[in-house]
C-alpha cells in the first residue's frame, strides 16, 4: 500500500534525516489531495504511534512513506469546533463557533433549533479555495458543520457529498420504518437519502475510491471524514474474533480501528492502482483526543481526554505524505496545527496563502522540507467557555474558572505531571496577559451550551438569562 517515490527522489532522500532538504525537481502539475480524517481516535492507538495492542498495518506503512508530525494539534478538543478550524484555517473562536452544533445548544435569539447552528455562510472553506484553483472536491462521511440546508456541504465548496450532516450515527443502516433525525440520515449529494449496505466505514471507502476513479483525469480533493471510531461502539461483525486479549470497549475500539485502517489502505491502494500515488498529497489526522470513558481509547503518554485542554485532548496523531517532496520515514518535531492544512493545500495547488485574509494557519511545506528552520507557530491558543490555554514555545498555561491555573514545560514534561505555576509567577502572569490579549480579538459565541439548572447560559464574555419560549 506504500505510496511510491520516484527513483531520483528516493535516492536523494537517503541523506535526509528529518526533512527533505535535497534539491529534487518537484512535479509541475497540481497534486491530488486526500485528507483521511478519523474521529475520536486515541493518541496511542496506532502502530505508528507505538501501540502493541492495535493493528494498523496500512496506516503504519503510510506513515513510513512520509513525515510524522510529532506535535500535531487540533484547534478544539471536541468535534465540531475542531472541524470548523480545520476547514477555514482560522481559529473558530474568531467567528463564534466554540461549541458542538448539536441539539441542546442555544442561539442568541433563545431558540434551541439546529437551524441556527452551523459554519457561518460568509466563510470560505477548504473546498471553496480548492474549487477556485480548478479542483473537483468531495466529502465522504461526517459533516457536523450545520444540519440546515443552507449549511449543506454541496453549498460550502464540495461538488459531491456522501455522508451525514450531523456528528454521529450508526455504522449500520437504519430500518426504513424507524429513520432517525436529519443529521443522522445517510445522504448522497443533496437531498437523496438512502441507507448504505454493509458497514459504514467500508461504504465510505468504497465511495471515495469510486470518486477517485471518476476524477483521475483532473486534480481532485477528497475529504474522507470517517466517523470511526466515534460512538456508538459498533464493530464490523467480520472482526468479532479479533483482539481476544482485550475486553469490553477496549476490544471494540480496537476492532473499529482495524476497520478504519483497512478503509484507509483501500483508498491508498486505489491511488497506487491508478498510478496516482506519486502525484497525490495525503494527510492522515484525527479531530480530537480519544474519549477514554466512552470508547476506552488510549492517549498515552499524554494526560487528558477529549473535551479537555490537556495534551490528550488536543494533540493528535498526524502524518503528511507527498512523494518526491517530503522525505519518507521522517519526523517533524515542532508544534503544527490543523489550521495549517488549508494554506498547505492551497499552496500545493498553485494558490498563494499569503494573499488570503484572516488565516491563522501557515503553509507547512517550507518547514517540512527544511527551507525554514524556525517554528511554524511560536504560540498556539485554545478556548472554550471560560477555559483557556496557551502554548508559548515549550511553556503551556491552562486557565480554569474554578481553580488556579496550571503551568507546564512540555519539553521536559509532555505528560503534564508537574505543575510549575507556583514557581514561575511572572511567566504565569505574562501568559495570562498574552491569552487575554488574543481573546479580545474573538467574536461572541454564535451558540452556547444550555445550562438547565437555573436557566442560565454562560460564555466567556457575558452571562445571558434564558429568554422565554418563542411562540413562532
Amino acid at each position: 500500500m506504500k505510496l511510491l517515490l520516484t527513483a531520483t527522489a528516493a535516492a536523494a532522500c537517503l541523506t535526509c534525516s528529518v526533512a527533505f532538504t535535497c534539491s529534487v525537481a518537484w512535479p509541475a502539475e497540481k497534486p491530488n489531495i486526500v485528507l483521511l480524517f478519523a474521529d475520536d481516535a486515541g493518541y496511542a492507538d496506532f502502530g505508528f504511534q507505538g501501540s502493541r495492542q492495535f493493528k494498523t498495518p496500512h496506516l503504519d506503512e503510510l506513515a513510513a512513506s512520509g513525515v510524522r508530525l510529532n506535535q500535531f494539534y487540533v484547534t478544539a478538543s471536541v468535534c465540531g469546533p475542531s472541524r470548523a478550524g480545520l476547514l477555514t484555517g482560522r481559529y473558530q473562536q474568531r467567528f463564534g463557533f466554540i461549541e458542538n452544533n448539536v441539539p441542546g445548544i442555544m442561539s442568541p435569539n433563545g431558540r434551541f433549533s439546529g437551524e441556527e447552528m452551523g459554519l457561518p455562510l460568509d466563510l470560505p472553506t477548504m473546498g471553496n479555495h480548492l474549487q477556485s484553483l480548478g479542483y473537483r472536491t468531495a466529502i465522504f462521511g461526517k459533516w457536523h458543520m450545520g444540519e440546515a440546508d443552507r449549511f449543506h456541504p454541496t453549498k460550502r465548496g464540495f461538488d459531491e457529498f456522501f455522508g451525514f450532516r450531523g456528528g454521529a450515527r450508526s455504522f449500520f443502516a437504519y430500518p426504513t420504518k424507524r429513520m432517525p433525525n436529519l443529521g443522522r440520515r445517510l445522504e448522497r449529494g443533496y437531498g437523496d437519502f438512502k441507507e448504505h449496505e454493509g458497514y459504514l466505514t467500508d461504504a465510505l471507502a468504497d465511495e471515495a475510491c469510486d470518486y477517485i476513479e471518476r476524477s483521475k483525469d483532473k486534480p481532485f480533493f477528497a475529504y474522507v471524514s470517517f466517523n470511526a471510531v466515534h460512538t456508538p461502539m459498533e464493530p464490523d461483525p467480520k472482526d468479532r474474533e479479533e483482539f481476544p486479549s482485550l475486553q469490553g470497549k477496549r476490544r471494540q475500539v480496537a476492532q473499529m480501528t482495524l476497520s478504519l485502517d483497512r478503509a484507509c489502505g483501500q483508498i491508498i491502494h486505489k491511488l497506487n492502482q491508478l498510478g496516482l500515488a506519486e502525484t497525490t498529497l495525503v494527510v492522515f489526522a484525527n479531530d480530537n483526543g480519544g474519549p477514554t470513558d466512552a470508547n476506552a481509547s488510549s492517549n498515552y503518554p499524554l494526560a487528558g481526554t477529549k473535551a479537555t485542554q490537556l495534551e490528550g485532548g488536543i494533540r493528535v496523531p498526524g502524518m503528511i505524505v507527498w512523494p518526491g517532496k517530503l522525505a519518507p520515514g521522517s519526523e517533524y518535531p515542532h508544534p503544527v496545527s490543523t489550521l495549517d492544512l488549508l494554506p498547505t493545500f492551497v499552496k500545493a495547488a498553485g494558490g498563494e496563502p499569503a494573499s488570503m485574509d484572516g488565516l491563522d494557519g501557515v503553509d507547512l511545506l517550507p518547514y517540512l522540507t527544511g527551507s525554514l528552520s524556525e517554528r511554524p507557530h511560536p504560540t498556539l491558543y485554545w478556548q472554550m467557555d471560560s477555559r483557556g490555554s496557551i502554548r508559548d514555545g515549550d511553556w503551556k498555561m491552562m486557565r480554569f474558572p474554578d481553580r488556579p491555573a496550571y503551568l507546564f514545560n512540555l519539553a521536559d514534561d509532555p505528560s503534564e505531571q508537574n505543575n510549575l505555576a507556583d514557581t514561575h509567577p511572572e511567566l504565569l502572569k505574562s501568559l495570562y496577559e498574552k491569552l487575554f490579549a488574543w481573546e479580545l480579538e474573538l467574536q461572541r459565541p454564535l451558540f452556547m451550551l444550555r445550562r438547565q439548572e437555573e436557566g442560565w447560559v454562560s460564555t466567556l464574555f457575558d452571562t445571558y438569562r434564558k429568554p422565554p419560549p418563542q411562540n413562532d
Side-chain angles (χ1 to χ4, degrees), residues 319-331:
M319 67 181 82
I320 180 167
V321 181
W322 195 357
K325 286 201 174 188
L326 300 176
S330 59
E331 301 180 3

Side-chain angles (χ1 to χ4, degrees), residues 94 178 312 368 371 451:
R94 292 198 187 280
R178 291 191 294 119
L368 300 182
S371 297
R451 315 294 186 194

Side-chain angles (χ1 to χ4, degrees), residues 88-91 94-95 123 339 353-361:
T88 62
R90 308 180 189 192
Y91 285 111
R94 292 198 187 280
F95 47 89
L123 290 175
L339 293 168
S355 66
M356 298 163 59
D357 293 333
L359 287 184
D360 291 303

Side-chain angles (χ1 to χ4, degrees), residues 178-255:
R178 291 191 294 119
M179 293 301 294
N181 62 33
L182 177 66
R184 298 187 178 192
R185 297 175 65 184
L186 197 67
E187 183 177 16
R188 182 185 297 276
Y190 177 73
D192 182 9
F193 295 98
K194 182 180 179 181
E195 290 295 290
H196 62 292
E197 296 181 1
Y199 192 64
L200 183 55
T201 304
D202 294 341
L204 297 178
D206 290 343
E207 292 290 332
C209 287
D210 178 69
Y211 166 77
I212 291 170
E213 178 85 43
R214 292 185 285 106
S215 305
K216 59 181 180 291
D217 296 327
K218 180 181 181 180
F220 63 81
F221 171 49
Y223 172 31
V224 190
S225 179
F226 292 105
N227 56 318
V229 292
H230 195 289
T231 54
M233 303 309 296
E234 295 176 344
D236 190 330
K238 67 174 173 282
D239 295 321
R240 63 168 56 94
E241 302 302 323
E242 296 285 350
F243 306 100
S245 63
L246 302 178
Q247 297 180 346
K249 291 181 180 179
R250 186 67 178 155
R251 186 177 188 182
Q252 291 177 321
V253 76
Q255 293 167 339

Side-chain angles (χ1 to χ4, degrees), residues 14-217:
L14 293 177
T15 61
C16 305
S17 58
V18 176
F20 193 58
T21 58
C22 309
S23 178
V24 176
W26 291 359
E29 66 272 13
K30 296 180 179 182
N32 305 307
I33 301 172
V34 176
L35 173 55
L36 305 171
F37 209 57
D39 193 354
D40 278 12
Y43 183 78
D45 286 341
F46 300 90
F48 67 91
Q49 290 288 99
S51 178
R52 296 182 180 180
Q53 294 181 324
F54 286 26
K55 295 186 291 188
T56 55
H58 301 107
L59 288 171
D60 298 347
E61 194 165 10
L62 184 66
S65 299
V67 184
R68 281 183 54 203
L69 305 173
N70 288 343
Q71 298 194 68
F72 195 28
Y73 287 97
V74 292
T75 62
S77 59
V78 292
C79 309
S82 174
R83 291 161 193 267
L86 165 79
L87 287 170
T88 62
R90 308 180 189 192
Y91 285 111
Q92 65 279 356
Q93 297 92 343
R94 292 198 187 280
F95 47 89
F97 199 129
I98 69 167
E99 297 282 4
N100 274 329
N101 54 334
V102 295
I105 290 193
M106 182 177 182
S107 62
N109 68 5
R111 297 179 181 178
F112 291 89
S113 167
E115 292 287 313
E116 302 293 336
M117 308 162 199
L119 189 67
L121 300 178
D122 60 339
L123 290 175
T125 69
M126 189 179 285
N128 291 125
H129 288 295
L130 291 174
Q131 279 182 333
S132 71
L133 293 168
Y135 276 68
R136 187 175 183 179
T137 61
I139 172 174
F140 306 91
K142 175 174 173 173
W143 176 233
H144 211 197
M145 292 291 98
E147 296 180 13
D149 289 350
R150 66 181 181 276
F151 298 121
H152 196 273
T154 60
K155 300 181 181 182
R156 306 306 308 274
F158 293 93
D159 299 311
E160 299 189 24
F161 174 51
F162 177 82
F164 55 100
R165 302 186 190 188
R169 62 151 288 149
S170 174
F171 289 80
F172 302 100
Y174 290 110
T176 304
K177 294 183 179 180
R178 291 191 294 119
M179 293 301 294
N181 62 33
L182 177 66
R184 298 187 178 192
R185 297 175 65 184
L186 197 67
E187 183 177 16
R188 182 185 297 276
Y190 177 73
D192 182 9
F193 295 98
K194 182 180 179 181
E195 290 295 290
H196 62 292
E197 296 181 1
Y199 192 64
L200 183 55
T201 304
D202 294 341
L204 297 178
D206 290 343
E207 292 290 332
C209 287
D210 178 69
Y211 166 77
I212 291 170
E213 178 85 43
R214 292 185 285 106
S215 305
K216 59 181 180 291
D217 296 327

